[in-house]
Amino acid sequence: MTDASATSESRFFRPKKHTLLRHISFAMPSAGQQFFYHWQRYRKMWWRKFSANPGRFSLEEKKSSQFNNVDLVCIKAEFPWGQETVETIHNFGTSFFDQLSSSVKEKFMAREGRKQVLPHVVESVTTLEAASLLFLCDAYKEVTLRDKTKEVLKLHRKLSPFKFTFSTPPCTVQLADNLYELSEHVGRNLRKSGISTLIKQDLGKKSFESQIAKNDALGIPFTIVLRESTLTDGMVGVRSRETTLEERIHISNLKNHAELLVKNY
């Protein structure tokens, strides 16, 4: 992909070696233009769905200089350094088949009414590297709280490698070991339910605030808070990265509660 507004940061969105992601749709000629409009709206909505800032995406219509002036729509994302083109959508019509022989064209023929026609072709293209970098840049935030600035990675739950992790206030070595064993047990149960969970070995060894800050910087949506009282009353805290609020529930209900959070968050 090329972009006339490319800046020094843009080179990271367009590496020389990349994984091309291409989707080709076929539509009847009578519905080709309508599908082209539908598809560009759908693709814009897809990018916005996983974004922490949906308003950064826009559409730009133009004629393709690469493919004989066919209709082209670029999906762009706005960043502090400028716009990045994250996906291109071409409406080739039937020109897609111009270079094919008659015998090959016949294989693509379809019946519309009483006629045999060639379908209209709509192609969208992006790269895995551009999509990955876009969502990382999109999720990165610097949050100021009590005159302190911390880094937060607000990844969408479907993009976050881990959905849950654990933290506990500083405590004795023996208590930390007991809580770590509990976190292993709980983490295994969550993983059996298909919920990716990060089990950390530094429980109780750092300040609670620094543990939470690290979890937020890793983009983990939920933190399970274990305390000394958990070993006796079974109550745990579930902290949300988005709201910073902690919900108290019994450990026996944690798996079902976690499944609902991951599904509905």
Side-chain angles (χ1 to χ4, degrees), residues 46-57 78-79 134-141 152-157 159 241-242 265:
W46 184 90
W47 288 99
R48 296 183 65 175
K49 176 181 177 181
F50 299 103
S51 172
N53 182 10
R56 73 168 71 250
F57 295 95
E78 184 74 35
F79 288 102
L134 179 138
F135 285 121
L136 285 173
C137 293
D138 172 80
Y140 178 80
K141 307 291 180 185
V152 178
L153 203 57
K154 293 191 173 184
L155 288 170
H156 188 278
R157 70 182 189 281
L159 301 179
R241 181 197 65 204
E242 292 301 310
Y265 170 67

Side-chain angles (χ1 to χ4, degrees), residues 10-242:
S10 296
R11 69 186 187 277
F12 299 114
F13 283 82
R14 285 177 280 280
K16 292 182 179 179
K17 293 184 179 180
H18 55 264
T19 307
L20 198 64
L21 303 177
R22 174 182 282 122
H23 181 278
I24 297 177
S25 301
F26 298 90
M28 286 298 183
S30 59
Q33 193 68 19
Q34 181 181 358
F35 177 80
F36 177 57
Y37 294 138
H38 161 76
W39 188 247
Q40 58 188 260
R41 291 194 299 269
Y42 173 80
R43 292 303 302 156
K44 180 185 175 183
M45 289 173 58
W46 184 90
W47 288 99
R48 296 183 65 175
K49 176 181 177 181
F50 299 103
S51 172
N53 182 10
R56 73 168 71 250
F57 295 95
S58 61
L59 299 176
E60 180 183 86
E61 298 181 10
K62 59 173 72 174
K63 293 292 184 178
S64 173
S65 58
Q66 183 180 3
F67 297 110
N68 298 322
N69 289 323
V70 302
D71 290 337
L72 165 65
V73 166
C74 298
I75 300 178
K76 292 179 172 288
E78 184 74 35
F79 288 102
W81 60 85
Q83 288 187 327
E84 296 291 347
T85 299
V86 295
E87 183 172 344
T88 57
I89 305 174
H90 285 90
N91 182 14
F92 287 105
T94 59
S95 65
F96 192 83
F97 305 99
D98 288 348
Q99 303 302 317
L100 302 181
S101 64
S102 298
S103 60
V104 175
K105 286 182 181 179
E106 289 180 3
K107 297 179 181 180
F108 291 93
M109 287 290 190
R111 182 176 293 278
E112 185 175 34
R114 297 182 178 181
K115 297 181 180 179
Q116 289 285 345
V117 296
L118 284 170
H120 280 210
V121 176
V122 175
E123 178 192 62
S124 54
V125 179
T126 185
T127 68
L128 180 61
E129 291 75 13
S132 300
L133 182 56
L134 179 138
F135 285 121
L136 285 173
C137 293
D138 172 80
Y140 178 80
K141 307 291 180 185
E142 292 183 352
V143 179
T144 302
L145 184 64
R146 300 190 186 95
D147 297 327
K148 292 183 179 180
T149 301
K150 69 173 186 176
E151 298 174 332
V152 178
L153 203 57
K154 293 191 173 184
L155 288 170
H156 188 278
R157 70 182 189 281
K158 292 186 179 297
L159 301 179
S160 177
F162 296 102
K163 317 305 180 191
F164 283 83
T165 190
F166 299 88
S167 289
T168 185
C171 55
T172 64
V173 174
Q174 182 177 357
L175 179 57
D177 289 342
N178 291 337
L179 293 176
Y180 174 72
E181 291 179 3
L182 178 60
S183 72
E184 281 192 309
H185 173 72
V186 174
R188 283 195 298 267
N189 286 336
L190 291 177
R191 287 173 177 176
K192 287 178 181 179
S193 299
I195 301 173
S196 55
T197 306
L198 177 63
I199 302 173
K200 301 186 299 181
Q201 296 184 347
D202 61 350
L203 286 180
K205 298 178 181 178
K206 296 181 180 180
S207 71
F208 184 71
E209 291 76 14
S210 66
Q211 293 177 59
I212 293 297
K214 182 177 181 181
N215 297 344
D216 290 346
L218 290 173
I220 303 175
F222 301 103
T223 297
I224 300 170
V225 182
L226 304 176
R227 296 181 171 86
E228 182 177 5
S229 59
T230 303
L231 299 174
T232 55
D233 62 16
M235 298 298 293
V236 302
V238 179
R239 178 191 179 271
S240 167
R241 181 197 65 204
E242 292 301 310

Side-chain angles (χ1 to χ4, degrees), residues 238-256:
V238 179
R239 178 191 179 271
S240 167
R241 181 197 65 204
E242 292 301 310
T243 66
T244 70
L245 299 177
E246 182 180 323
E247 183 179 4
R248 297 280 288 172
I249 65 171
H250 196 271
I251 198 168
S252 61
N253 300 321
L254 181 59
K255 183 172 74 69
N256 291 336

